Amino acid sequence: MRAARTAYPLKWRIMDTLEGVAAAIWPARFRRATPYLMLLPAVLLVGLLVLGLIQIADASLRTLDTTTFQFSDNYSIANFRRALTEPLFLVVAQRSLIAALIVTTVTLVFAFPYAYLMVRTRSPGLRKFLLIALFLPFFIGQVVRAYGWLIILGNQGMVNEALGLVGVAPMRLIYNYPAVLFGLVQYMLPFAVLMLAPALTAIPEELEAAAGSLGASWVRTFIHVVLPLARPGFIGAGVVVLTLSLTDFAVPAILGGGSQDFIANAIYDQFFRTSDQGLGATLALMLVALGSILVGLVFALFGAGTLAMGRSRA
Amino acid sequence: MKRFKPTLSHLSRRTFLQATAALGGASALGLRGAYAQEPEKPAEIIVRAWGGSWVDSLKAGVSDSFTKMTGIAVRHDLTEDNEIQPKVWAAVAQNRVPPIHINWDTTTNATKSALRGVTEDLSDLPNLANVTDLAKPAGLEGFPIVNTYGYVYVLAYRPAAFPDGPPKSWKDLLDPKFKGRLAFYNDGIGFHFPAQVAGGGKLEDIPGNMQPAWDFITKMKAQQPLLGEDPDFTTWFQNGEIDAACTISTNAREARKNGVKIEWVVPEEGAKFDTDGLWIPKGLPENELYWAKQYINHALTKEAQQVWLDGLGLPGVVPGLTPPKDLVGDPSYPTTEADFQRLIRISSKIQVENESEWFSKFKAIMQG
């Protein structure tokens, strides 16, 4: 009895059974299609998004009848005409776009030294500290962080209290455009560092040492060696920060004091405040289009960076 | 509606039903027998509500006593009124059971739902026989909504910021010293109509010609006001961020309860008066619809209104309510014809049909 178990243990039996079941479900002749099977979750996910976009596109072509609060049966481009001609939407779109560009630039400038230090430091303690400081904000949601800034920067907040100690009268530090930009940069910084770090890790330290041994100063090495090789990281981080900033809702809503709306806030207003889901859908589609064009431009000009998974543009 | 004979084990419920029916007068008495035949009770009913002191007052005045009388728990869903609306509309359109039993809503928002046809008719509530005209939604057939109280968008201010006495006009807010120290609702609600008067226009011209309102709001934009929602006003007053605001008196009163020195006035141009109400979305199972109606019926009793609206500091729709001590003679608690003459009331129909355009116009000015 014992010998038989050793010869064909239970684990083997289970594995054989499972293999039999797998073969019945996915026969060996389908093996060439297995890689495509792996794509199925992604296809399903993208398919759902596309279905949603089709519904949004359908809604965008219907206008709201305010006597019945029903949407028109007929299609029209009235919502698109409104979105492109009403000053409110142009102002909000312009503000979002400029903010996204400013936030991306400033975030990359701040994120690079952080990522560089984190990757290159010889001190394991410092690296751990930088990693913890990087990941800690992820455990605190965006809304909580934005409210945190209200407490710190408010009229009776810590900063104004500190200023009061040296005789400076309380000043309005929040509820304006700079406050929104500040909040966004603070929110985006960890994302940018996370995208930059792998690109910097991939730069062999020996290259910097070689440049130094050939007489290049640290600055020249940095400009001519490190920065060009870090380009994929900049592109990946830039694309992520750009798109997240462009579509942000919470930071403008909380730190903007109601007067610094982004496109996402305008979309919310249409869906939930005026009940005009058609116009909201139109603005949503235009935001998707704007984001896609921007990302497409970046990819066309600079390649996909780290988002290309190591395959850089020729 | 399925009905059952009452049992002796439901003594407290019977007492409740008798009380509500008695308050309903003669017509209510006619329905008393019918209401005593109760369908199966749900474990709970869900009432959408605003948070903070709003839901606390509803709970103290209506929900707790309803639970005590019927044994049905009441869960308060604090989803924003604007956000629950599309969910309810979608549920009704797809023949699904709606996510809430009762929506506590602004009359304007509720009117949109009524026009869309997603509200149940509440005309058979016994206690409607004992309410004032304020309870009836203007311009709608029957009772798709029952208004439960009125409120005023007052000019609330910190007395310390007005050393020469209370502000008399909305124009007083244009003083440069208030730059960055004012607050309005982020869609301008409550301020459009007084701005029309303050800008030299006439209320009769609404909605045809509101240019005076937009001109006045443009002047106000130069003051760089903060724009927010109900809870923001209380917070901003408490944190010393603002000196004055156009807000519902309840928010100002809440800040005062929290120790902030704050007063409010109805300026000479007037202040917007509006109503909130309760309504039931279509698509509920019959027994749940029955008990949801009982909840609203209970909310129209004098006892429930007194406690609920004492908490909110607002005038109700049942005659004979006693104003809270701190609001006797207050312009935000209108009780007489003279009080109402100082207030601006525009029909829900006009508001509903034009609100989207007004919000956009206000936003365009303030975001520009």
Side-chain angles (χ1 to χ4, degrees):
Chain A
M1 190 67 179
R2 292 171 67 88
R5 274 190 187 171
T6 308
Y8 194 46
L10 180 64
K11 281 182 187 173
W12 291 18
R13 291 169 199 262
I14 294 170
M15 291 306 294
D16 283 349
T17 309
L18 288 175
E19 274 189 8
V21 171
I25 296 170
W26 194 254
R29 63 179 181 278
F30 293 167
R31 192 165 293 161
R32 289 184 66 183
T34 302
Y36 297 100
L37 188 69
M38 303 290 187
L39 280 175
L40 196 60
V43 170
L44 279 174
L45 187 64
V46 173
L48 280 174
L49 286 173
V50 170
L51 276 178
L53 273 177
I54 290 171
Q55 282 214 327
I56 288 176
D58 180 85
S60 73
L61 294 169
R62 299 179 189 276
T63 50
L64 180 70
D65 178 354
T66 57
T67 58
T68 61
F69 278 84
Q70 301 278 357
F71 288 94
S72 64
D73 292 329
N74 303 326
Y75 288 133
S76 85
I77 57 164
N79 289 326
F80 286 89
R81 196 179 296 122
R82 277 188 70 188
L84 291 170
T85 55
E86 286 192 13
L88 169 64
F89 302 125
L90 297 178
V91 166
V92 165
Q94 189 182 26
R95 178 184 296 137
S96 311
L97 186 57
I98 291 172
L101 294 172
I102 294 172
V103 168
T104 305
T105 308
V106 175
T107 304
L108 291 181
V109 167
F110 282 124
F112 183 81
Y114 191 107
Y116 188 80
L117 185 61
M118 195 173 73
V119 167
R120 288 288 190 257
T121 181
R122 306 277 177 205
S123 162
L126 179 60
R127 183 177 293 115
K128 278 179 192 165
F129 170 77
L130 291 172
L131 274 169
I132 291 168
L134 178 68
F135 280 101
L136 207 57
F138 283 111
F139 302 129
I140 309 165
Q142 187 187 17
V143 173
V144 177
R145 265 195 276 173
Y147 272 107
W149 287 120
L150 291 186
I151 294 167
I152 293 167
L153 300 175
N155 263 24
Q156 296 176 350
M158 289 159 58
V159 172
N160 266 316
E161 282 194 8
L163 289 173
L165 293 176
V166 292
V168 178
M171 59 177 79
R172 174 60 51 77
L173 300 171
I174 46 177
Y175 304 136
N176 48 40
Y177 196 46
V180 174
L181 297 180
F182 174 79
L184 280 172
V185 168
Q186 194 265 343
Y187 176 62
M188 299 299 166
L189 203 60
F191 290 102
V193 173
L194 276 181
M195 297 297 291
L196 274 169
L200 293 176
T201 309
I203 302 173
E205 280 188 75
E206 293 81 1
L207 285 181
E208 292 173 61
S213 70
L214 291 171
S217 65
W218 184 86
V219 175
R220 285 192 71 187
T221 303
F222 181 75
I223 293 172
H224 295 289
V225 176
V226 178
L227 278 184
L229 289 172
R231 197 180 75 161
F234 277 113
I235 295 166
V239 165
V240 168
V241 173
L242 185 77
T243 49
L244 287 179
S245 303
L246 185 69
T247 56
D248 200 68
F249 174 84
V251 172
I254 296 169
L255 293 179
S259 60
Q260 306 297 331
D261 282 1
F262 278 20
I263 303 175
N265 306 92
I267 293 169
Y268 175 92
D269 282 347
Q270 299 310 321
F271 272 101
F272 298 111
R273 208 177 292 282
T274 64
S275 313
D276 194 345
Q277 295 176 14
L279 185 56
T282 304
L283 294 174
L285 275 187
M286 294 174 85
L287 178 58
V288 170
L290 180 62
S292 303
I293 290 169
L294 282 176
V295 172
L297 269 177
V298 171
F299 284 178
L301 292 172
F302 307 111
T306 49
L307 300 175
M309 300 293 187
R311 295 187 183 198
S312 58
R313 198 171 66 115
Chain B
M1 193 177 293
K2 204 173 179 182
R3 294 168 199 274
F4 299 93
K5 275 195 170 181
T7 62
L8 285 175
S9 62
H10 292 87
L11 189 61
S12 61
R13 181 194 65 229
R14 284 182 60 191
T15 309
F16 154 58
L17 289 168
Q18 283 168 353
T20 54
L23 281 168
S27 60
L29 287 172
L31 282 169
R32 184 171 150 190
Y35 266 75
Q37 297 171 349
E38 299 164 348
E40 183 190 351
K41 290 179 181 176
E44 64 171 11
I45 60 169
I46 304 167
V47 181
R48 193 222 68 85
W50 290 283
S53 60
W54 294 83
V55 70
D56 292 343
S57 304
L58 181 75
K59 184 174 183 298
V62 186
S63 301
D64 285 351
S65 48
F66 179 79
T67 301
K68 193 177 174 186
M69 291 172 185
T70 63
I72 299 172
V74 177
R75 179 150 61 93
H76 299 105
D77 180 335
L78 301 186
T79 306
E80 266 297 308
D81 54 339
N82 296 320
E83 291 173 10
I84 202 75
Q85 188 187 62
K87 292 181 184 177
V88 170
W89 287 10
V92 175
Q94 294 161 10
N95 292 319
R96 285 189 283 113
V97 175
I100 53 170
H101 291 89
I102 294 157
N103 197 2
W104 182 15
D105 208 352
T106 64
T107 300
T108 305
N109 252 352
T111 302
K112 291 180 189 175
S113 294
L115 289 171
R116 196 178 159 97
V118 301
T119 55
E120 291 282 0
D121 181 37
L122 303 173
S123 302
D124 58 349
L125 296 184
N127 285 338
L128 283 177
N130 193 42
V131 294
T132 62
D133 288 346
L134 199 60
K136 174 85 174 79
L140 293 171
E141 287 291 318
F143 276 90
I145 314 153
V146 176
N147 295 330
T148 46
Y149 57 81
Y151 54 91
V152 181
Y153 290 89
V154 294
L155 194 172
Y157 65 97
R158 288 194 318 114
F162 292 83
D164 300 331
K168 293 182 174 60
S169 163
W170 291 100
K171 292 175 199 164
D172 293 348
L173 302 183
L174 296 174
D175 189 324
K177 72 176 180 180
F178 296 125
K179 190 167 187 175
R181 304 286 303 166
L182 306 173
F184 298 93
Y185 285 95
N186 51 20
D187 46 21
I189 196 165
F191 191 56
H192 302 131
F193 308 148
Q196 171 83 353
V197 181
K202 293 176 182 170
L203 292 174
E204 304 86 83
D205 290 341
I206 296 172
N209 174 22
M210 290 185 66
Q211 194 53 45
W214 309 133
D215 291 343
F216 188 72
I217 289 168
T218 304
K219 284 182 190 169
M220 201 59 81
K221 151 77 178 167
Q223 293 288 69
Q224 299 177 358
L226 300 185
L227 305 171
E229 307 268 359
D230 280 321
D232 295 325
F233 294 97
T234 308
T235 307
W236 288 336
F237 271 121
Q238 285 178 191
N239 293 345
E241 299 280 355
I242 55 173
D243 291 329
C246 172
T247 185
I248 296 173
S249 56
T250 303
N251 301 318
R253 189 168 175 249
E254 185 64 15
R256 187 156 74 182
K257 280 183 185 170
N258 293 343
V260 180
K261 286 186 179 171
I262 189 171
E263 302 289 341
W264 52 84
V265 292
V266 171
E268 60 193 19
E269 295 92 349
K272 185 189 177 191
F273 179 83
D274 216 329
T275 50
D276 285 346
L278 299 172
W279 60 276
I280 300 172
K282 282 184 175 170
L284 290 174
E286 276 197 11
N287 65 318
E288 294 179 25
L289 170 63
Y290 173 88
W291 288 107
K293 282 187 173 183
Q294 294 310 295
Y295 182 92
I296 296 180
N297 197 49
H298 176 55
L300 296 175
T301 59
K302 189 176 174 185
E303 294 75 14
Q305 285 249 309
Q306 186 69 62
V307 179
W308 180 20
L309 301 179
D310 273 1
L312 295 178
L314 299 173
V317 295
V318 175
L321 295 175
T322 310
K325 279 181 188 171
D326 61 320
L327 295 176
V328 174
D330 192 288
S332 70
Y333 197 101
T335 50
T336 65
E337 191 58 37
D339 293 337
F340 278 100
Q341 278 178 1
R342 299 176 62 197
L343 303 174
I344 302 170
R345 196 172 182 200
I346 303 291
S347 86
S348 291
K349 186 173 182 294
I350 290 177
Q351 291 195 58
V352 162
E353 287 180 358
N354 296 279
E355 191 185 66
S356 176
E357 189 188 329
W358 296 340
F359 286 178
S360 294
K361 189 74 185 172
F362 183 88
K363 285 243 168 192
I365 293 168
M366 287 299 177
Q367 297 285 334

